[in-house]
Amino acid sequence: MIGALLTGLILFAFLVVCETEPTHAGPDRMGDSHGQPKLAHLTSNWAFQLVNDTLAFSRADSFCRGQFSSLADIDQSDEREGVMELLRQTGLRTPIWVRNPSKAANKPVALSKQYSPFLSLSFPRESREGFVRVNMSFPALSSVSVCVRVQWNSEWNEVSTIFSYAAPIFTNEFQLRGQVDMQGRILLALIIHGKHLPYKASFLNDGAWHHICVMWRRNSGHWAIYVDGDKRDLGSDTDTSRDIYGDGILILGQDQDSFGGNFTEPFFGNITDLNVWNMTLETRHVLALNACSSIDQEVVFSWNPDHLIKHPVVKEEQVLLFCPAAVLQQMELQGCRTLQGWSDQLPLLDLTDCSDPLPFICRSSRERYLKMKQMRDSQSLQPSAFMNHLMKLSNKSQAVLGQQTSELSSLAQASALLDVSVQALEDTQEELQPTDMVSLIQLLSLAADIPTLPLADATNHSQDRVQELSQHFISVADSIISEDNALKWQAIKEVVNGPMDVVKSIDRMVTSLSPRLMAETDRLTIHSPNIKLEVQQQRLQEGSKGSSFCGPETDKHTNVDCISVPHHKIQDLHNNGFHRLTLVNTWYGSLRPLFNPGENITMVPTVTDGSQRYLGTVLGSSVISTTVLGDDQPVSTAVHFKLQHRAQNPTGTVYDPVCAFWDFELTPEAGGWWNTKGCEVVSKQYGYTVCYCNHTTNFALLLQVYEAQRSPENEKALQVLTFIGCGVSLCGLLFTFILFIAVGVPKSDRTTVHKNLIVALGIAELLLMCSDWASANEAACFVVTALLHLFFMASFSWMLVEGLLLWSKVVSVNISEDRRMKLYYIIGWGLPVLIVGVTLAVSVDEYKADGHCWLNVKTDTIWAFVGPVIFVLAVNAVVLCRVVMVTVSSARRRTKMLSPSSASKMQTFDLTWAVTRPVLILLPVLGLTWLCGVLVHLSVVIAYVFIALNAFQGLYIFLVYAVYNSEVRNAIKRIKEKRKALSFTNCSQPTSFLPSQRAPISSWGHSALTPSSPETSETSGPPSSASTSLVIKNESFRKESFVTFSLKPASGNQVVQLTGFKPSGC
């Protein structure tokens, strides 16, 4: 009994089939619990398994997906041969489902691609007279199908007639009417040959557009009502004795109590896209029409407002209707692909109604198939503790668990099986085994695709069952993706694509059940240790707020993981005609350890400047996702999300975060891969990163690992040294500029160039010091980046001018000084403005780097700075070489002029000094110290040298061009002498001395008054014809005393007057 029960459990819940590994490439026959044969055929690369159970296309596709395989594809020659051989050996000749490789992915796209324009007719509630007549003559109809789109006035609760067809001899020939029930649903009913069928088919009275198709066929009396592509009601109890009479009148919006008149039971709302066929449409046709797609069947009346006669109160309006499959073709609307047989070794293909049950073939890789066989055999021979406990619990649900896997077709069956599985997981103390995990993953995949009843047909009991199923589904998924199972995921990687398979199953389950889950609430949260699921729903209206969702709060992390849909994106949904918004948000906290840490994620490194060595990329955060449903249809919209960095930095490495999402369509055979298309980093902060993506899916942070070139201590030291250096440089540049202005350095082109270089470099250093504070504000950071670019470019431009000016001194250039200075100003200020302006105009969106205020090094924008700098450094290097050559040549000439004895001693020193002196003087202003920048990544020592040379560039300029500049020193000396002379004149007291009578006066009259020694100097005043003065330094006085001798004529005789000035207070 236990063995039989185990076999039934494995067959149903976990797809375990007792089989033996084939020893040849022929068919491998297997038996299931019902004795139905299943065959497998192995080729060198593939394994094909025939499933004789007949299922609809979607269920067949789901079944193969649960087997970690896919429907067979016969477009490839090797696969076609495998399918043909399997069918030949089994003798199966009925059509089978096959995969269409050109089928578009089932994923949302932009809203603009999901709408189709229609001209609708508006029936206002203000008047009960409105109607529209179809202006054509109808033939007798043995079969009829009518499809129309309606938007019901949600405030009208009485019986309304959508359309009525009356013949001259019978008025109630064919009619569709509706009424509102106590639960707020619109109930639909047909009248055929005067027989009023029951109100049963329904849809919500939600003010949205709904697609309705009704049909009738005489030979069987069969009739059906479809709402939004789903068959809501059907029967066959109608009069089959005659056709629908011809030459009738078709009226929209009114019931005809007489032929073409006596209107009653008016319709209020909007109607569009009415079409009539003389046939009964198939389900696939209705699905195509619901998705705004055309069909090939010949139409009796096609929607055309020109063929309508309208009452004056009925108005025409242009509307956009949501058509998810009009562009996407998310399903095979015209039918699903089938293999009918073979002709001359070529497959015969056709399209069949997707709801028809057919057999199918699942295809997987040979390695996966053999690995699954091995795991199934192991589970059969020695069941795990979990499986044994599940066997015991199965007695309570034996009726359900004894069925075949392909018959898992109702919520009740799925819920019961998930309930038993959750109970077994809670009761089992031992860890799950790899085979248990594979079985549970298959169970989730199958349960996620269980078809649900239309919401209008749901009962309170089924609503409770849906919520219970969701809770159990998340509990089972949580146990599978627990961090404790990280090693087991590596053991089953040959069978299961990875943990994202579980994520995909959760996405499918919640998206499918969201209308049922949110029928009675606006917010639902399911929380487990590793998963947090939240479904939000709101009615869209003007001023609808944005939506946000955050993962659970933890004590370890102050910043939680969050994702949000911006307010203006939700408002766009309302503006595009959506009425209800559903957001499915999920957070997965344990997926990162489940990915193989040794498996590198292939990705182009973001740091491409050569400063760091790229080591690889790893998953570095939790996974967070959002799915946006507009009126229960997936739509794509932009999102912002913030994720913490959860990976630990190994010693000697640094991380650079990249915003990414899991793309299931990228390498689908492997279950997908990480993709960064449409995602970008908004900001990088310590411990977390903020991202923006233009679509919705499962998001995460990928951390690119780089070898750390410098330790954190060195990084901090370099930052501090840079800040200090910039501060000292700024002070040095300021003092230099003040000295140039204050001390009266003679004006020249050289001093003018120095001043402009000082101004540009000083402002650049100041901005660099303030850039860290500006990084917190995006707009301010952008402005600072542009100004830094401008003034550093101006600094290098004036360094280029310094080189050009020096070249003009070394090599004769016949340009006047005025013309030369105009050229210098154009180069120094005009060229930087031009470069920055063009760069902003060309790449304003990619101008600034992420996280700091500087140019973006990940794009070509950085070359707007690096390119000109390299040019300036190259030109100035040539200038410096030329100056050194001229200086060395001059030094050699001076050496030859010396005496032979001293020439040999001085030659080596002079040549060395001739080379060293211009290099030391010119390096700061020519900017050649920046050449060290290309070598910074090689060694931390070079980084220190680079910072020291460039951060202190302003200090070098102050020392070389201010402190040790002869022009500045002479100007300062002149100022000092003037101040001394002024002080000497203002604070002196004169004392007169008369000459001795014994001195011969005539001796002064014949002496020439000229300085005779180095101690004499010229008088400050101009010479006079009336007197002659001579100032001499008198050593008998104190050090700063002077004596003046004046010779003045007096009464015809020459008299000498001695006046001694003795500075008072000195």
Side-chain angles (χ1 to χ4, degrees), residues 358-370:
L358 294 175
F360 53 95
I361 293 177
C362 296
R363 181 215 65 183
S364 64
S365 67
R366 179 187 176 96
E367 292 75 12
R368 176 172 291 177
Y369 171 80
L370 296 177

Side-chain angles (χ1 to χ4, degrees), residues 54 94 106 389 449 452 478 525 542 584 599 627 661 677 727 776 843 854 1019 1036:
T54 56
T94 60
N106 184 13
H389 193 66
D449 294 322
T452 61
D478 185 273
T525 302
E542 286 295 334
V584 180
E599 182 180 9
T627 300
F661 66 96
K677 186 177 181 180
S843 58
W854 184 234
T1019 61
S1036 64

Side-chain angles (χ1 to χ4, degrees), residues 624-824:
I624 197 167
S625 72
T626 189
T627 300
V628 180
L629 303 175
D631 296 334
D632 299 331
Q633 297 290 339
V635 294
S636 181
T637 185
V639 296
H640 287 91
F641 60 92
K642 179 183 74 173
L643 293 174
Q644 302 172 62
H645 304 167
R646 297 184 179 271
Q648 299 296 323
N649 283 42
T651 304
T653 62
V654 293
Y655 284 145
D656 185 46
V658 177
C659 303
F661 66 96
W662 187 266
D663 188 350
F664 289 102
E665 302 305 319
L666 200 62
T667 63
E669 290 295 336
W673 197 244
W674 295 108
N675 198 344
T676 60
K677 186 177 181 180
C679 294
E680 61 184 23
V681 174
V682 176
S683 65
K684 302 175 185 177
Q685 305 296 335
Y686 180 76
Y688 68 91
T689 298
V690 179
C691 300
Y692 167 86
C693 287
N694 60 11
H695 55 272
T696 54
T697 183
N698 300 283
F699 302 103
L701 288 181
L702 303 181
L703 300 181
Q704 294 196 336
V705 188
Y706 296 89
E707 182 179 9
Q709 302 296 324
R710 296 180 285 270
S711 65
E713 293 77 12
N714 283 325
E715 286 288 348
K716 186 66 176 179
L718 288 172
Q719 290 178 3
V720 172
L721 184 62
T722 301
F723 191 84
I724 294 174
C726 288
V728 173
S729 290
L730 190 60
C731 294
L733 293 170
L734 182 62
F735 290 153
T736 305
F737 188 79
I738 292 174
L739 283 175
F740 276 13
I741 299 298
V743 303
V745 176
K747 289 185 177 180
S748 65
D749 53 358
R750 188 158 56 93
T751 56
T752 302
V753 172
H754 287 344
K755 290 177 184 178
N756 281 277
L757 172 60
I758 290 169
V759 170
L761 190 59
I763 296 176
E765 299 273 7
L766 180 61
L767 288 170
L768 184 62
M769 295 176 66
C770 300
S771 62
D772 284 343
W773 291 300
S775 61
N777 185 291
E778 190 72 17
C781 191
F782 187 90
V783 173
V784 169
T785 299
L787 292 176
L788 275 172
H789 188 194
L790 174 64
F791 283 101
F792 268 116
M793 279 306 311
S795 301
F796 278 96
S797 297
W798 282 108
M799 292 177 195
L800 175 63
V801 171
E802 291 274 6
L804 297 177
L805 178 62
L806 191 59
W807 182 268
S808 68
K809 302 297 183 183
V810 176
V811 180
S812 178
V813 178
N814 296 323
I815 302 178
S816 65
E817 184 173 338
D818 290 340
R819 291 178 58 192
R820 189 165 55 199
M821 284 308 303
K822 290 180 181 178
L823 176 63
Y824 290 165

